[in-house]
Structures are given as C-alpha cells and as structure tokens.
Amino acid sequence: MIKTDIIIIGAGPTGLFAVFEAGLLKLKCHLIDALPQPGGQCSEIYPKKPIYDIPGFPEVLAGDLVKNLMEQIKPFDPGFTLGERAETLEKLNDGSFIVTTSRGTKHHAPIVVIAGGLGSFEPRKPPIPVIGEYEDKGVEYIIRDPEVYRDKRVVIAGGGDSALDWSIFLADVASEVSLVHRRKDFRGALDSVEKVEELSKIGKINLITEAEVVDLKGEGNLDSVVIRHKGQASDEEVKVTDHFIPLFGLSPKLGPIGDWGLEIEKNAIKVDNTYDYQTNIPGVYAIGDVNTYPGKLKLILCGFHEAAIMCQSAYQRIFPDKKYVMKYTTVSGVDGFDGSRKEAKREVVKSIN
Amino acid sequence: MSDIKITIIDREGEAHVVDAPTDMNMNLMEVVRSHELAPEGTIGICGGMAMCASCQCYVLSHHHLLSEKSFEEEDMLDQAFYVEDNSRLGCQIFMTKELEGLAVKLAPEST
Ligand SMILES: Cc1cc2nc3c(=O)[nH]c(=O)nc-3n(C[C@H](O)[C@H](O)[C@H](O)COP(=O)(O)OP(=O)(O)OC[C@H]3O[C@@H](n4cnc5c(N)ncnc54)[C@H](O)[C@@H]3O)c2cc1C
Ligand code: FES
C-alpha cells in the first residue's frame, strides 16, 4: 500500500502544481494517471503547440510547461502511479481514503484531490456493435507486450502514427500484418509512411486502403474480421486473423470517478468555490478542468489558483489544531524534502561606524 | 446586428434554430457549445484544432458556400467514425453572413 498525505488523481498541469503548493506546507503527494506520462492534455493533445496565457510566459510550448512544472516540483519528490486509472474510492472509519487503480495498486491518504481534467484518456473504439464481446479475446486497443503477437496473424486499423509505427514493428514479430485504413493517404511522420510503403512492397505488410473493418466473427475468441471496401457496400472481404488492433487515438472520459457519489453537473464535479474547492465528500477536493462552480473557466491558470487554495484547506483538515500563515516564497524560500533549499540572496547590510 | 440564423440538429434529433454571431471569429463547434446543444466534454475536446473529430457534423445545406477542407480537416475526418460524404468538422466552419440559413446535424459521439 502506498501511503502519502495527498493522493492526486490526474498528473496534468493542475495536479503537478498542487504538488508544489502542498510541498510548501510540508505535505507529501502521490499522483495517479491513466496516461503513461505526466502533463495531461498538454502532453497528450498539444505538446508542440504554444500557450500564450500563462502569466509571465509570453509564449511557452505546452510540452515545455510540463517539463518546467516537473522541474519545479522535483524537490518535493512526488510519487507516481502512471498508466493506471483510479478506479475506486473507499472511505475508512478514521476519515482517510484508499484509492485503488485498474491494476489493483492501493494508495492511502487523509486527503484525495481529483485533478482529472476532462477525464482519463481512453482508447477510441470503432463503432462495431459486437466489439465489446471480443475485448481481450483477440481485440486489443493498446499494445502492452508485443511478444503476444509473435507468429500470430494481426489486423491493425487506423491511419495515424501509432497504426503506422506498430505495423512496422509487428511486421518482424507477427506471421502476418494487415493495415486497414479508410484512405490511401496516411497522416504520420514521413519516414514511417515511407517505411510502411516499403514493407508493403516486399509483402511484409498487407496494406488494405480505402476500406474499413465493419464486423468481427468468431466463437468465443476472434477468428476473422469483415472488411468493407469503399463504395462497394455489398462486396465484403472476410480476413482470417488472431488479433484485431484498432488504433484511433484516445478520448477523455470521466469514467469511474462518476460513480464515487460525488455531485456531478455537466460532466464535471461540483465544488464549493467560495471556500476551498472541496466536493460533497469531506476530504475529497476537485481542482482544474474537472470541477465546476458558478463562473468556472477551464484554463491552466485557474487550475493553478485552485491548487493553492485547496492545499491551505487540506492542511487545516490534516492539522486542525495548527494555524498556518501563508508565506511568500521570496521571503521563506523553498525547502525540498530531499534537503535542498532555495532562497533569495540576503541583502548585505554594511554598517558605518 | 451581425447575427445569422442557423439550424442545428442535435444528437437526439431535435432541431434548434439559433443565432450565431459573424463578428467574433466564431466557428460552428463554438456555436454549439455556447447554446449547450451537446453535453460538456463531448464536443470541442481539442479546442477546435481539427485534432479530435468530436465536433463532426453533417452539412445539410449551403455546401457550396463552405470553405474547402484543409489537409488537417481531411486527415482528421479520415480517422473519425460515422463519416459520410457531407461530414465536416464544425470547428473548421467559421460563421459568415453567407451562411445565413445553414443547416447541420451533429454526428454521433464517437467513444
Ligand atoms: C488544444 C488545446 C489547447 C489549449 N490551450 C490552452 C491555453 O492556451 N491556455 C490555457 O490556459 N488552457 C488551454 N487549454 C486547456 C488546458 O489544457 C486545460 O485547462 C488543462 O490541461 C487542465 O489541466 P488539468 O490538470 O486540470 O487537467 P488535464 O490536463 O486534463 O489532466 C488530467 C489528467 O487526469 C487524468 N485522469 C483523469 N481521470 C483519471 C482517473 N480516473 N485515473 C487516472 N488518471 C485520470 C487524465 O489522464 C489526465 O492526464 C487547451 C486545451 C486544449 C485541448
Ligand atoms: S473540436 Fe476537435 S476537431 Fe473540432
């Protein structure tokens, strides 16, 4: 069991900055994110795009903002559980919480902060009615262990970078790789597109373009996919296969957090913003894009502000008898948990005798 | 007044005639959001960058007045589900006076 002061669900900009604000109050944080990397939307959707409305940064790439946030919180040594979705929230008799992830990792803390943004990023599933029946029985949306596909027949669908990259990679692992894509053109890094073309010419990738997978077949496990070619509704091709891997990117979903008994309005968690961004479950806070209150703006800057306010309240919940007075970092400096200390140089005062 | 009237059929099939300003560089996805015609979190996920297809719609009128699809729009629609010949990304359709009377239908949410 991972023990900490604050469990933060979501390692987007809001969750990351909350680590810093908590650190100033000597509170330790552990972050959980469904994505394999920190940064939330900034890393997943637009890492190479510039942001213009972070105070003090006339222009900063989203990816660089995340890098800077990671650097800024380093002294506070946060823990990370990445690539796992927070699944359940359990309240113990002493008022503390256990958060368990999709892979069964348990986290225990007196405070839970949901900084889940638009939700956890989940694979987009093609609208094939029976697809759910074959999940993990031949249909996978994420390739975790490429060895699973050794000497197997694989059909990949999609036209983006991950469809191209995995087709190239599995061409050397699987006994047969087919790549199904709606158009002749692929969007993706030029060298990947060229490599796929090359592998297709020598027969290592079976390229099926202007086509879509429309149905799946098999008793229990998947044994074939039905492919429809553009403009030929009646002319369907049945392709025998062991695995079907649709790679159509990720889309955020509020997911299991929606079932935790929190007050939800328009896909967001209602909080008490006049005070501290606490939810209707005492000890559970919601900050950043995931919360809602009158006048809410979904901006990074607002998430940062909410993180600072939330931490003061969390501190008071953990230590009801202590009074903490807010200090400026310029005056008090920053004491890392690793023994590091940052502070402004003291003015040298020279007295004249 | 620089508003135009357009018709948006929501995902439940209900038609809404709404005012859309033409002087705010607003796109159709933003018009849908401002009138709350699709639940939060189901439209405009990429903020209008032709990167998510959550704003896909079927254009029922005024096709000839719409700007050509850009390479990015074409590419994104290629990755999307439920794509028809009249599919466009709402975030790439900007409100101009010429679009008075435009009618569109929101494509189903792709999960
Ligand atoms: C294209 C685009 C451009 C933008 N431009 C700007 C801009 O210029 N300026 C600006 O201020 N804002 C901008 N934004 C908005 C900004 O990105 C968000 O306000 C910001 O990312 C919110 O941060 P967050 O940490 O609250 O949530 P997110 O960044 O959404 O991070 C939330 C994280 O929580 C994780 N998560 C959710 N639920 C779970 C769960 N159950 N288990 C595990 N993990 C979970 C998700 O995987 C995600 O990584 C833009 C957004 C987009 C899409
Ligand atoms: S809002 Fe994402 S593609 Fe239009």
Side-chain angles (χ1 to χ4, degrees):
Chain A
M1 176 105 71
I2 294 166
K3 282 186 183 291
T4 187
D5 296 320
I6 302 182
I7 298 165
I8 301 176
I9 299 166
T14 306
L16 293 177
F17 190 63
V19 174
F20 181 83
E21 288 294 326
L24 293 179
L25 304 175
K26 305 265 175 289
L27 300 175
K28 232 21 223 150
C29 296
H30 189 98
L31 298 117
I32 304 172
D33 205 300
L35 292 174
Q37 80 280 331
Q41 295 170 46
C42 290
S43 302
E44 186 57 35
I45 306 184
Y46 62 112
K48 298 270 179 255
K49 299 267 179 200
I51 306 176
Y52 302 104
D53 58 349
I54 303 295
F57 284 91
E59 183 175 336
V60 58
L61 295 185
D64 288 345
L65 177 69
V66 172
K67 250 191 250 162
N68 287 348
L69 283 164
M70 289 296 282
E71 180 66 26
Q72 192 173 19
I73 63 175
K74 214 159 137 200
F76 299 119
D77 194 26
F80 285 94
T81 299
L82 295 177
E84 300 182 28
R85 186 171 79 166
E87 209 71 35
T88 58
L89 173 79
E90 187 189 340
K91 190 166 188 165
L92 304 183
N93 288 338
D94 66 355
S96 65
F97 299 93
I98 292 181
V99 175
T100 308
T101 68
S102 43
R103 295 221 178 154
T105 314
K106 289 189 180 298
H107 308 74
H108 178 231
I111 302 286
V112 173
V113 174
I114 303 170
L118 302 172
S120 76
F121 284 86
E122 310 285 330
R124 290 176 65 227
K125 302 178 182 181
I128 303 170
V130 295
I131 200 158
E133 295 169 27
Y134 293 100
E135 285 171 5
D136 298 323
K137 291 178 186 153
V139 171
E140 294 95 33
Y141 306 102
I142 292 171
I143 297 176
R144 289 211 169 83
D145 175 14
E147 277 308 307
V148 167
Y149 306 100
R150 184 156 301 276
D151 303 325
K152 296 279 170 39
R153 290 162 298 193
V154 178
V155 173
I156 293 178
D161 274 317
S162 46
L164 293 166
D165 293 348
W166 281 114
S167 299
I168 297 168
F169 187 89
L170 292 181
D172 278 333
V173 177
S175 61
E176 187 187 308
V177 173
S178 304
L179 174 58
V180 184
H181 178 42
R182 193 181 286 125
R183 273 207 309 168
K184 280 194 173 135
D185 300 324
F186 284 84
R187 69 172 190 169
L190 193 60
D191 48 340
S192 315
V193 179
E194 283 170 357
K195 183 86 190 158
V196 165
E197 241 180 349
E198 213 177 277
L199 288 168
S200 139
K201 273 192 195 132
I202 59 168
K204 291 206 78 165
I205 292 178
N206 176 21
L207 211 51
I208 307 173
T209 55
E210 298 193 274
E212 272 178 273
V213 173
V214 291
D215 202 3
L216 309 174
K217 303 228 176 284
E219 295 284 319
N221 285 324
L222 179 76
D223 66 30
S224 54
V225 296
V226 179
I227 296 170
R228 182 174 299 157
H229 294 266
K230 199 176 174 186
Q232 307 173 11
S234 56
D235 188 14
E236 290 178 340
E237 171 188 347
V238 177
K239 182 143 198 62
V240 178
T241 191
D242 304 304
H243 292 275
F244 173 49
I245 313 172
L247 297 172
F248 291 99
L250 302 170
S251 147
K253 293 268 162 306
L254 193 55
I257 291 174
D259 308 323
W260 288 1
L262 297 158
E263 246 184 284
I264 308 270
E265 189 182 279
K266 292 186 189 160
N267 224 19
I269 302 169
K270 266 175 101 170
V271 290
D272 177 6
N273 73 306
T274 54
Y275 189 53
D276 58 5
Y277 305 101
Q278 200 158 183
T279 66
N280 59 319
I281 304 179
V284 178
Y285 297 79
I287 55 173
D289 276 16
V290 81
N291 76 13
T292 183
Y293 52 81
K296 169 70 184 177
L297 279 182
K298 289 188 183 184
L299 286 176
I300 296 170
L301 131 108
C302 302
F304 289 168
H305 160 85
E306 293 164 16
I309 308 262
M310 172 281 294
C311 282
Q312 299 288 323
S313 169
Y315 179 88
Q316 223 54 82
R317 252 193 96 75
I318 300 176
F319 304 112
D321 303 329
K322 287 192 193 170
K323 184 83 197 104
Y324 187 88
V325 181
M326 193 211 66
K327 291 177 186 165
Y328 294 123
T329 55
T330 33
V331 179
S332 61
V334 175
D335 285 302
F337 295 156
D338 53 1
S340 65
R341 171 151 182 85
K342 273 199 219 166
E343 64 183 323
K345 282 202 185 80
R346 300 254 171 248
E347 293 296 331
V348 179
V349 180
K350 202 174 172 190
S351 48
I352 302 170
N353 295 321
Chain B
M1 272 290 277
S2 48
D3 283 2
I4 53 170
K5 284 214 184 300
I6 61 174
T7 302
I8 299 167
I9 303 174
D10 67 22
R11 290 183 183 134
E12 271 72 53
E14 195 181 330
H16 306 263
V17 180
V18 301
D19 290 325
T22 57
D23 56 354
M24 288 174 70
N25 200 27
M26 229 182 182
N27 63 47
L28 182 61
M29 176 273 284
E30 290 163 343
V31 174
V32 174
R33 288 185 64 165
S34 67
H35 290 277
E36 300 186 4
L37 299 182
E40 265 301 304
T42 67
I43 186 161
I45 288 164
C46 75
M49 289 165 62
M51 281 171 64
C52 71
S54 66
C55 63
Q56 187 194 162
C57 59
Y58 307 118
V59 177
L60 309 175
S61 71
H62 294 60
H63 297 82
H64 58 292
L65 291 174
L66 297 181
S67 54
E68 287 280 296
K69 277 183 219 154
S70 68
F71 176 72
E72 287 77 20
E73 183 177 357
E74 195 90 66
D75 252 354
M76 189 62 240
L77 281 171
D78 217 37
Q79 298 280 302
F81 308 134
Y82 310 109
V83 177
E84 303 289 343
D85 289 343
N86 58 345
S87 284
R88 292 292 304 255
L89 295 180
C91 66
Q92 306 301 305
I93 299 177
F94 288 88
M95 295 299 107
T96 59
K97 282 205 196 76
E98 293 71 40
L99 293 182
E100 170 74 47
L102 174 76
V104 298
K105 183 177 188 317
L106 302 185
E109 190 189 347
S110 17
T111 48

